[in-house]
Amino acid sequence: MTAVDTPARIDRRRFVADLIARLPEDALVVTGLGSPCYDVFAAGDRPGNFYLWGAMGAAAPLALGLALAQPEHPVVAITGDGEHLMGIGTLGTIGAVLPANLTVVVLDNAHFGETGMQPSHTGLGTDLLAVAQGFGIRDAVRITGAAQAEDLAARIQARAATTYAQVLINADEPPRALPPRDGVANKNSFRAALGLSTF
């Protein structure tokens, strides 16, 4: 199958906004670079958001560390297929420790959106659900309809198991909503949301 044979079905910005609106207030959200970052920010800036700029492949490992350090909080990584593929090996570590409060949400348009919309591996035969399950993440779901945001939010709130969600999205480019690019300010705001002082 190719990306042309399997068109994505969901408006990504609407899906992300719906998901964010349903998250508990204490949820911690880590974004992958590019579109997921813009979509989470467009849904409304909140102290529990941590926006990654240029750290390709780092969303899932950062969220894993955060989930282990903050077990009382639901932790959600929202990333894209291209960014996720860069750090796919992290799923092996996630599968080894399986923090119940961690959810990895992959917005999959089968393209590398930040570098010119070249086809990504997910449009060329890679099955992300099979990969996640192969690494030991049993609660792996493919989302093909916007209404499934409610079920995903319920899983996040329950904190019953590590959850992996591949969300099939349209390969479009809504207007960019850019969060602040000041990494230090972002870090300090996020630490303050956790009740931690700055260094």
Side-chain angles (χ1 to χ4, degrees):
M1 281 194 215
T2 68
V4 175
D5 297 329
T6 311
R9 301 172 184 84
I10 301 174
D11 179 289
R12 71 165 213 252
R13 181 146 296 172
R14 184 176 304 169
F15 181 85
V16 170
D18 192 20
L19 180 63
I20 295 291
R22 295 172 184 274
L23 294 183
E25 287 186 19
D26 67 334
L28 305 175
V29 178
V30 177
T31 74
L33 59 83
S35 300
C37 184
Y38 313 148
D39 294 342
V40 169
F41 184 71
D45 191 23
R46 36 191 301 281
N49 290 352
F50 192 83
Y51 307 102
L52 287 179
W53 287 99
M56 191 163 183
L62 196 154
L64 170 61
L66 192 57
L68 295 173
Q70 300 288 332
E72 70 280 11
H73 291 275
V75 176
V76 185
I78 299 180
T79 190
D81 54 305
E83 193 273 350
H84 182 54
L85 286 162
M86 180 66 78
I88 198 75
T90 299
L91 291 182
T93 305
I94 292 173
V97 294
L98 294 173
N101 61 326
L102 176 63
T103 301
V104 177
V105 179
V106 182
L107 304 175
D108 185 359
N109 65 5
H111 290 82
F112 292 102
E114 294 303 295
T115 60
M117 293 301 285
Q118 302 89 346
S120 82
H121 300 67
T122 62
L124 301 170
T126 297
D127 183 340
L128 288 180
L129 288 193
V131 172
Q133 290 167 338
F135 277 125
I137 303 170
R138 300 195 192 292
D139 188 17
V141 296
R142 180 171 290 121
I143 293 178
T144 59
Q148 290 174 274
E150 183 174 0
D151 176 65
L152 181 57
R155 289 172 190 243
I156 292 167
Q157 187 155 357
R159 290 185 291 155
T162 298
T163 299
Y164 184 93
Q166 178 191 26
V167 184
L168 301 183
I169 59 165
N170 293 319
D172 59 0
E173 186 61 43
R176 293 185 175 186
L178 303 178
R181 298 185 188 189
D182 186 333
V184 174
N186 189 18
K187 175 206 59 167
N188 290 342
S189 173
F190 191 75
R191 286 179 61 84
L194 292 172
L196 302 173
S197 61
T198 57
F199 297 117

